[in-house]
């Protein structure tokens, strides 16, 4: 029996089979969880519905996380299928392309800043507020962050600030929901080639640099992030909340680049 047997997980942020949300969904299904998904827009409906079916789910609901009405509709509809939610995954981020290249000071704008924080951070607590009536003791919320939250990474720019906000959100949400035995955590994932990642200028160089300099001398896989997510959202991690778990082949511990390629 899988360690998520009997758990119900709502996964927000699946776009295709390269999405980190797909790695998480696969791991959770393998461990016995029942899944529901949302997709951002009608353009993604057929693809996400088909992927959901691969993991035995017939629940795929439209939700633009920038809309409170869309978020409310998701839980209204989900209520027809489920009477509670054990796991809520937030695997969503967005900033206009113009914000993810060049020099931070030159390129950041008030509107770019607002959008990045709204879609990539506020949406996590917005989903939690709407999900709250369906959460119960033992439920888990998980967001996906990146090292750019705590270090300056070339071209990551305002998205780094949004991830810092997301990680602070994790701590405040964990403090607010902890007394109800609801846990909130984040995974800080190493770079993985996904649709969102391709929007970051020089992303292939980030991948290459990580593979050469991480202690494990490679990048991480969707399955590795998925497995860590499944663990964090399971009762095996019942003592962990408000935390950020790095799944990045150890890259974040390095003080400087590897010398002489060794
Ligand atoms: N790929 C990486 O290298 C990497 C590393 C660390 C963290 N992350 C984070 O992982 C998460 C998932 O990204 P990914 O890399 O799997 O890329 P992805 O493109 O597969 O997923 C991003 C998702 O965000 C959704 N989204 C964007 N705006 C939305 C909106 N307004 N409403 C609803 N959904 C919206 C997209 O539809 C998509 O499903 C993001 O938070 C990202 O910052 C990615």
């Amino acid at each position: 029996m899988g360690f998520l047997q009997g758990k119900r997980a709502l996964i927000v942020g699946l776009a295709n089979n390269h999405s980190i949300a797909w790695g998480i969904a696969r791991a959770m299904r393998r461990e016995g969880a029942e899944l529901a998904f949302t997709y951002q827009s009608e353009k993604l409906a057929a693809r996400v519905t088909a992927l959901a079916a691969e993991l035995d789910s017939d629940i795929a609901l439209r939700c633009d996380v920038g809309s409170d009405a869309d978020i409310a509709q998701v839980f209204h509809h989900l209520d027809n299928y489920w009477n509670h939610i054990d796991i809520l995954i937030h695997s969503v981020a967005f900033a206009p392309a113009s914000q993810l290249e060049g020099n931070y000071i030159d390129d950041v704008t008030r509107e770019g800043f607002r959008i990045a924080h709204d879609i990539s951070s506020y949406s996590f607590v917005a989903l939690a507020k709407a999900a709250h009536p369906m959460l119960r003791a033992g439920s888990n919320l998980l967001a996906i962050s990146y090292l750019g939250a705590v270090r300056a990474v070339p071209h990551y720019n305002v998205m780094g600030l949004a991830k810092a906000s997301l990680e602070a959100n994790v701590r405040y949400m964990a403090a607010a929901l902890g007394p109800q035995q609801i846990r909130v955590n984040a995974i800080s994932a190493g770079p993985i080639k996904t649709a969102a990642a391709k929007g970051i200028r020089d992303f292939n160089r980030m991948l290459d640099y990580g593979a050469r300099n991480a202690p494990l001398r490679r990048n991480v896989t969707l399955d590795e992030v998925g497995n860590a997510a499944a663990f964090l959202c399971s009762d095996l991690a019942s003592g962990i909340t408000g935390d950020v778990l790095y799944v990045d082949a150890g890259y974040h511990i390095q003080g400087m680049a590897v010398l002489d390629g060794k």
Side-chain angles (χ1 to χ4, degrees):
M1 191 172 90
F3 59 72
L4 291 177
Q5 198 68 42
K7 305 279 189 193
R8 289 177 160 168
L10 173 64
I11 298 187
V12 178
L14 180 63
N16 54 51
N17 61 1
H18 301 289
S19 294
I20 287 178
W22 183 239
I24 296 172
R26 271 196 320 221
M28 290 194 165
R29 181 65 194 142
R30 186 195 68 223
E31 295 304 329
E34 207 180 313
L35 307 178
F37 296 86
T38 70
Y39 53 86
Q40 181 183 357
S41 65
E42 285 311 321
K43 209 172 63 181
L44 295 175
R47 192 193 297 147
V48 171
T49 303
L51 287 171
E54 280 187 38
L55 299 179
D56 311 308
S57 168
D58 59 359
I59 312 176
L61 305 165
R62 192 181 62 79
C63 179
D64 182 327
V65 299
S67 157
D68 286 333
D70 271 24
I71 290 175
Q73 276 298 313
V74 165
F75 296 98
H76 182 69
H77 284 304
L78 200 56
D79 204 37
N80 296 326
Y81 300 92
W82 294 352
N83 53 12
H84 69 270
I85 296 171
D86 298 297
I87 297 169
L88 172 62
I89 302 297
H90 176 282
S91 188
V92 170
F94 178 77
S98 63
Q99 303 291 292
L100 300 174
E101 56 182 23
N103 180 288
Y104 171 59
I105 300 285
D106 293 340
D107 292 347
V108 70
T109 63
R110 188 179 296 274
E111 184 63 356
F113 187 103
R114 185 193 66 71
I115 293 170
H117 283 72
D118 183 21
I119 303 302
S120 315
S121 177
Y122 177 71
S123 62
F124 188 35
V125 71
L127 285 164
K129 277 159 85 86
H132 200 188
M134 294 183 78
L135 302 177
R136 57 183 188 173
S139 291
N140 278 282
L141 315 182
L142 182 79
I144 310 299
S145 190
Y146 174 62
L147 184 65
V150 292
R151 307 261 183 84
V153 174
H155 306 313
Y156 204 64
N157 296 351
V158 75
M159 188 55 80
L161 282 73
K163 290 300 191 192
S165 165
L166 179 68
E167 292 184 7
N169 225 339
V170 165
R171 290 186 283 275
Y172 277 87
M173 287 164 63
L177 294 169
Q180 294 162 53
Q181 304 306 307
I182 297 168
R183 298 188 293 112
V184 187
N185 289 292
I187 284 175
S188 183
I192 299 179
K193 205 164 195 164
T194 63
K198 285 184 203 153
I200 302 162
R201 189 148 160 205
D202 286 336
F203 184 74
N204 282 338
R205 290 177 70 185
M206 281 168 75
L207 278 175
D208 183 54
Y209 190 85
R212 280 188 286 111
N213 291 293
L216 298 182
R217 300 290 190 276
R218 62 175 177 82
N219 287 301
V220 292
T221 64
L222 288 184
D223 287 339
E224 288 174 319
V225 177
N227 287 338
F231 158 72
L232 270 181
C233 293
S234 77
D235 297 342
L236 294 171
S238 57
I240 304 174
T241 195
D243 221 340
V244 179
L245 177 65
Y246 284 83
V247 181
D248 67 348
Y251 178 82
H252 69 287
I253 63 136
Q254 295 288 51
M256 63 182 281
V258 166
L259 296 177
D260 307 323
K262 297 202 178 95

